[in-house]
Amino acid sequence: MILASISLNVAKAEPQVKQDQVSSTSDATMTDKTDKTDTAPDTATDATTDSPIKPPINHTKQHKQDLQHYFNDNQVTPLLAGPNDYITLVQKYTSANSKGVVILLPEWQQGATNPKAINFLRNTLPSKGWNTIAIQPENKPEGFPSTAITSEDQIKENELILTEYKRNLGELFNAVMNTAKEYSGIVLVIAQGNNGALLVDILSQTDSQRPNALILLSSYRQSNDQLIDADNETFSRQLALTELPVLDLYLKHDNSLVISKAPQRKLMAAQEMKTYYRQRQLNNTITGYYPENELLSQINGWLKAIGW
């Protein structure tokens, strides 16, 4: 009886020991998981801190780097205009005689090798007797057009933004004109888009150097919806009053503003009896891209008509 009682007590004690062991093991496992969970956010934070996301590269800087990388040093010519440095692509004439210099000014947001028209002219005109200087312009000014609530505030902000941009563009153009004077012959400027319209504004100022002739490619003034009509009317009036011979080209399939404002420029030129002004619409298949042969034909025909 005594032996039976001892055996029964031992049997009852064993489950309690096993239960204590399970509880200890479970507590240890939970503690280990808790420690791992607590350290996980620190690891993720460290990884994020070590490799932050870099902002996108400046558009103008990217164009400059591309030109310096893909073109030979004898074509890429740095240019200092005021405190800013620019890149130009220079090609000398390859025909028997030199006619002069063509300065190619692309639209903002476009490169000096813009395939819509500029690059074709840059590569083709040297065989026709022209030295070419293709400019890599600055990027579209940040914050333009203004997002202010009232029209009055939009006008003020746009003027401030464009004043700085036009100042830099004017310094760049004068520096390129100084380079162009090193060559013999006439100086012809071919400007595109908004830069063409802003260049007309710059050339209307008395202290600006002037080329012998100007060719505009799909030029217009971008602005706020409420200010588009007034800004493009100013552009048309400045163009009509300039004494430069002007060839005004645009496309059948073009920016809607270019197409809608082209008749206004032609009308004002007629009212001011502007001499040596010609406007032509060219047929194209791809929106914004100039037909190469017709473009070259229009330029050559107009230059012959004014005696060049």
Side-chain angles (χ1 to χ4, degrees), residues 30-221:
M30 290 298 293
T31 302
D32 184 56
K33 288 182 178 180
T34 302
D35 294 340
K36 290 181 179 180
T37 304
D38 292 341
T39 58
D42 294 337
T43 304
T45 302
D46 293 342
T48 304
T49 305
D50 293 340
S51 57
I53 299 176
K54 297 181 180 180
I57 188 172
N58 180 272
H59 202 198
T60 304
K61 184 178 180 181
Q62 184 176 8
H63 276 306
K64 289 180 181 179
Q65 291 178 350
D66 288 344
L67 294 178
Q68 291 171 330
H69 177 75
Y70 289 106
F71 286 88
N72 297 327
D73 292 339
N74 58 352
Q75 284 186 289
V76 178
T77 304
L79 185 68
L80 184 64
N84 302 316
D85 61 310
Y86 298 91
I87 293 292
T88 60
L89 296 179
V90 178
Q91 285 189 245
K92 296 184 178 181
Y93 74 98
T94 57
S95 64
N97 299 312
S98 172
K99 295 180 180 179
V101 182
V102 176
I103 299 173
L104 300 169
L105 177 62
E107 168 69 303
W108 60 31
Q109 307 289 105
Q110 300 290 338
T113 57
N114 172 15
K116 294 183 177 180
I118 297 297
N119 199 50
F120 165 73
L121 296 173
R122 185 183 69 85
N123 291 321
T124 304
L125 291 177
S127 64
K128 308 299 180 183
W130 296 96
N131 302 287
T132 61
I133 303 176
I135 303 171
Q136 178 54 58
E138 288 187 348
N139 197 19
K140 175 184 175 181
E142 187 176 354
F144 181 84
S146 170
T147 57
I149 298 176
T150 65
S151 298
E152 291 77 10
D153 291 338
Q154 290 175 359
I155 293 173
K156 292 178 181 179
E157 289 188 7
N158 286 343
E159 287 180 351
L160 289 174
I161 295 171
L162 287 182
T163 296
E164 177 68 14
Y165 184 85
K166 286 190 293 184
R167 184 182 64 81
N168 292 337
L169 182 61
E171 291 177 347
L172 170 60
F173 181 73
N174 285 331
V176 176
M177 283 293 295
N178 290 333
T179 302
K181 290 178 180 179
E182 299 175 2
Y183 300 88
S184 61
I186 65 173
V187 178
L188 174 65
V189 174
I190 302 178
Q192 185 181 33
N194 285 276
N195 275 342
L198 294 177
L199 183 62
V200 170
D201 188 4
I202 294 171
L203 294 175
S204 66
Q205 301 171 10
T206 56
D207 59 342
S208 175
Q209 300 188 60
R210 291 180 177 82
N212 298 101
L214 174 65
I215 297 176
L216 298 176
L217 303 179
S218 302
S219 289
Y220 71 107
R221 282 287 303 272

